[in-house]
Amino acid sequence: MSTPTQRPTTLNNIGVVMFTVADQDAALDFYTRVLGFEVRGDTRFGENDEYRWLEVAPPGSTARLALNPPMYDEPGGSAIGVETSDLAAEHARLTELGVTGLDPLPTDDTPGVPRLFMLRDPDGNVITVVEA
């Protein structure tokens, strides 16, 4: 068996995940008010400040989520996983907030598979909440 010779990667981290959203202000409200994320960056740029780089993240997270307007397509269609130490408490919190598109809390455990549920943001991006 041969081993391909190639230069090793210099990539070492997933720093930013990007979601396309129809309305950055509405997405900012959802991620900060509903999910409790904090703003990590909100910068206008371009010749006439026509573009906006907006990043949010859960408190303490090193990875960030960029909320970008669609470049070529419709918004939505992306997915991320976020972690919680108390799946039931987070599900109850989101239910109390009236989050739509929230999957039911799992009722059984499957060996080798973490307990999780999914929800969708207003643009249809999927957030998987995993108990870790």
Side-chain angles (χ1 to χ4, degrees), residues 63-122:
R64 288 116 38 227
L65 176 61
L67 304 171
N68 302 319
M71 292 174 60
Y72 306 108
D73 242 301
E74 295 296 316
S78 297
I80 60 168
V82 294
E83 297 178 335
T84 180
S85 59
D86 191 338
L87 195 71
E90 186 60 21
H91 193 275
R93 187 184 76 79
L94 294 170
T95 299
E96 287 172 13
L97 286 171
V99 173
T100 58
L102 182 63
D103 288 355
L105 195 61
T107 57
D108 60 348
D109 293 330
T110 303
V113 177
R115 294 185 72 226
L116 59 88
F117 66 87
M118 292 183 238
L119 64 133
R120 285 129 203 93
D121 76 5

Side-chain angles (χ1 to χ4, degrees), residues 51-67:
Y51 303 112
R52 182 181 184 191
W53 185 259
L54 177 59
E55 290 183 352
V56 296
S61 175
T62 57
R64 288 116 38 227
L65 176 61
L67 304 171

Side-chain angles (χ1 to χ4, degrees), residues 5-93:
T5 56
Q6 68 183 47
R7 186 177 302 201
T9 184
T10 61
L11 303 177
N12 59 23
N13 185 43
I14 295 175
V16 180
V17 175
M18 296 176 217
F19 273 8
T20 56
V21 298
D23 179 328
Q24 286 178 300
D25 289 323
L28 178 62
D29 177 67
F30 177 81
Y31 283 94
T32 56
R33 184 181 54 80
V34 175
L35 293 184
F37 286 20
E38 58 192 22
V39 176
R40 294 290 180 84
D42 190 352
T43 305
R44 295 270 179 190
F45 65 99
E47 190 173 319
N48 298 305
D49 284 341
E50 66 269 27
Y51 303 112
R52 182 181 184 191
W53 185 259
L54 177 59
E55 290 183 352
V56 296
S61 175
T62 57
R64 288 116 38 227
L65 176 61
L67 304 171
N68 302 319
M71 292 174 60
Y72 306 108
D73 242 301
E74 295 296 316
S78 297
I80 60 168
V82 294
E83 297 178 335
T84 180
S85 59
D86 191 338
L87 195 71
E90 186 60 21
H91 193 275
R93 187 184 76 79

